[in-house]
Amino acid sequence: MDTVCSAPAEAVVRLIELKRKFGTTAALDGVSLTVRKGEILGIIGRSGAGKSTLIRCLNGLERPDSGQVLVEGRDLARLSERELQPLRRRIGMIFQHFNLLSAKTVEDNVALPLKIEGRAKPERRQRAAELLDLVGLAEKAKAYPASLSGGQKQRVGIARALAARPALLLSDEATSALDPETTASILALLKDINRRLGLTIVLITHEMEVVRTIADRIAVIDAGRIVEEGPVWKVFAEPRSEVTRSLLGTIRPRLPSEIAARLSQQPGGEAILRVEAAGEGARQPFLAELATAAGLPFRLIHGGMDHIQGQPVASLFLAVPARDAGAAGQFLDAHGIKTEVLGYVAGDA
């Protein structure tokens, strides 16, 4: 018999000190994480960080060596294979390479989970029709996967994952095989499904742009450990771990290479400042005040303002006379604006 464990009412998933080794390699090394009902959680990490093992533990395909995997309060790690079957139906799954059956129509692919459950054919067809309409493929019901584009195949995969009305949807690198335009449309669909159905979604990805686009919270995994987590806008604005900063490097403004190549740690000329602000700090006219209230000259050389989850996030690079670098940093710090002197360049940056 399985054990029903107490958990916060809003938690759909709780991972508690999850550990899994393969030989001497720790794929998961004490992972603890909560996924709340109705949220989209993005789990991101480099290749080999432990993402695949984590998702296999979440759907019961992998047994942890120790720790708990609680889905709706039930510990998957303690269930027999027979006891796992009904709980697995509460977990939908979409894959990078779609995993559609080529010999079956789109309608039959979507209805497959219901057929496995033993549902009657009229019920299966009705549910498939509802879901194909939801994902915008009602006219493709009788088509075969070979005739579909990659984006259409993934929409079929999403519809199939929703067939049994799951409480949790797992997305395993579901957009990494798609072009940017198709990726954007699939992410918009997932966000719409999340809002309309209140469905809890866990995204496993190595792409920061995917997390930025639709996730509510982010958890960064590295070497089998969660090294950082929090609201997406907060983590993007103030990354604490080196892994997070590295992953963000693909989408955050970078100092132009021609300026970076000239940087010196010897004071003189102009100081190059990295300036980061988020939330209320980013809403202030801090650049105008730097010039007017503080009377400090500067030049904006790169960067801009973004909006993530409705919050402004600024990442800028300023050039100020070297003699004014300390005063500029103190002024901005006093206004809650994070600054860092990257170095100095002779002449104009």
Side-chain angles (χ1 to χ4, degrees), residues 126-140:
Q126 180 180 348
R127 179 63 174 159
E130 292 171 358
L131 291 169
L132 288 173
D133 185 59
L134 177 67
V135 302
L137 290 178
E139 76 285 0
K140 297 290 186 179

Side-chain angles (χ1 to χ4, degrees), residues 33-335:
L33 198 61
T34 297
V35 187
R36 297 188 286 265
K37 182 176 175 59
E39 79 170 337
I40 301 179
L41 174 68
I43 300 177
I44 188 164
R46 298 169 174 146
S47 297
K51 303 189 302 297
S52 296
T53 303
L54 181 58
I55 203 167
R56 287 176 62 83
C57 287
L58 274 171
N59 61 22
L61 293 177
E62 192 78 53
R63 299 276 185 168
D65 297 323
S66 63
Q68 294 177 290
V69 183
L70 306 177
V71 177
E72 295 187 309
R74 303 175 70 190
D75 188 356
L76 270 63
R78 294 177 179 270
L79 300 180
S80 68
E81 189 61 31
R82 181 181 61 81
E83 291 168 328
L84 265 175
Q85 294 309 312
L87 190 54
R88 280 204 183 112
R89 290 195 284 271
R90 300 287 291 159
I91 304 171
M93 186 88 182
I94 53 177
F95 306 89
Q96 178 180 0
H97 297 296
F98 322 127
N99 289 13
L100 302 180
L101 299 178
S102 60
K104 290 186 177 293
T105 64
V106 164
E107 177 185 64
D108 287 341
N109 268 280
V110 173
L112 184 60
L114 302 179
K115 184 176 182 179
I116 294 172
E117 281 187 21
R119 303 292 181 90
K121 192 170 186 177
E123 181 184 354
R124 301 199 305 263
R125 284 186 170 175
Q126 180 180 348
R127 179 63 174 159
E130 292 171 358
L131 291 169
L132 288 173
D133 185 59
L134 177 67
V135 302
L137 290 178
E139 76 285 0
K140 297 290 186 179
K142 302 302 181 183
Y144 286 85
S147 69
L148 304 181
S149 68
Q152 289 172 330
K153 289 177 182 176
Q154 195 55 282
R155 286 172 181 266
V156 175
I158 292 169
R160 179 186 58 192
L162 298 176
R165 294 180 170 84
L168 173 67
L169 180 64
L170 303 178
S171 170
D172 186 12
E173 300 280 8
T175 60
S176 61
L178 304 175
D179 62 74
E181 184 178 0
T182 305
T183 291
S185 72
I186 293 297
L187 295 178
L189 174 61
L190 289 174
K191 187 68 174 178
D192 182 58
I193 288 170
N194 166 256
R195 287 171 175 166
R196 290 171 62 176
L197 305 182
L199 182 62
T200 305
I201 300 176
V202 174
L203 296 163
I204 304 291
T205 183
H206 66 277
E207 299 173 289
M208 273 292 188
E209 186 59 35
V210 169
V211 174
R212 177 198 177 282
T213 301
I214 68 167
D216 302 308
R217 286 195 306 123
I218 181 174
V220 182
I221 187 170
D222 183 54
R225 289 180 170 274
I226 301 297
V227 296
E228 188 162 0
E229 65 174 298
V232 172
W233 76 270
K234 189 75 170 176
V235 172
F236 273 52
E238 300 174 1
R240 299 190 308 274
S241 77
E242 183 57 41
V243 171
T244 309
R245 287 191 287 271
S246 177
L247 290 168
L248 281 169
T250 60
I251 63 172
R252 297 175 90 206
R254 292 183 176 185
L255 186 65
S257 58
E258 62 272 18
I259 299 176
R262 294 166 53 200
L263 278 181
S264 167
Q265 297 308 306
Q266 186 66 35
E270 288 186 314
I272 305 301
L273 272 61
R274 184 200 302 273
V275 177
E276 296 178 335
E280 288 305 315
R283 293 189 178 95
Q284 301 176 41
F286 59 89
L287 291 183
E289 291 178 359
L290 182 64
T292 57
L296 296 170
F298 71 90
R299 293 185 302 109
L300 175 62
I301 58 174
H302 190 55
M305 183 79 74
D306 198 356
H307 282 78
I308 302 174
Q309 295 179 304
Q311 295 284 349
V313 176
S315 184
L316 311 168
F317 295 93
L318 305 182
V320 303
R323 65 179 180 276
D324 295 324
Q330 289 175 8
F331 179 85
L332 293 170
D333 286 344
H335 287 72

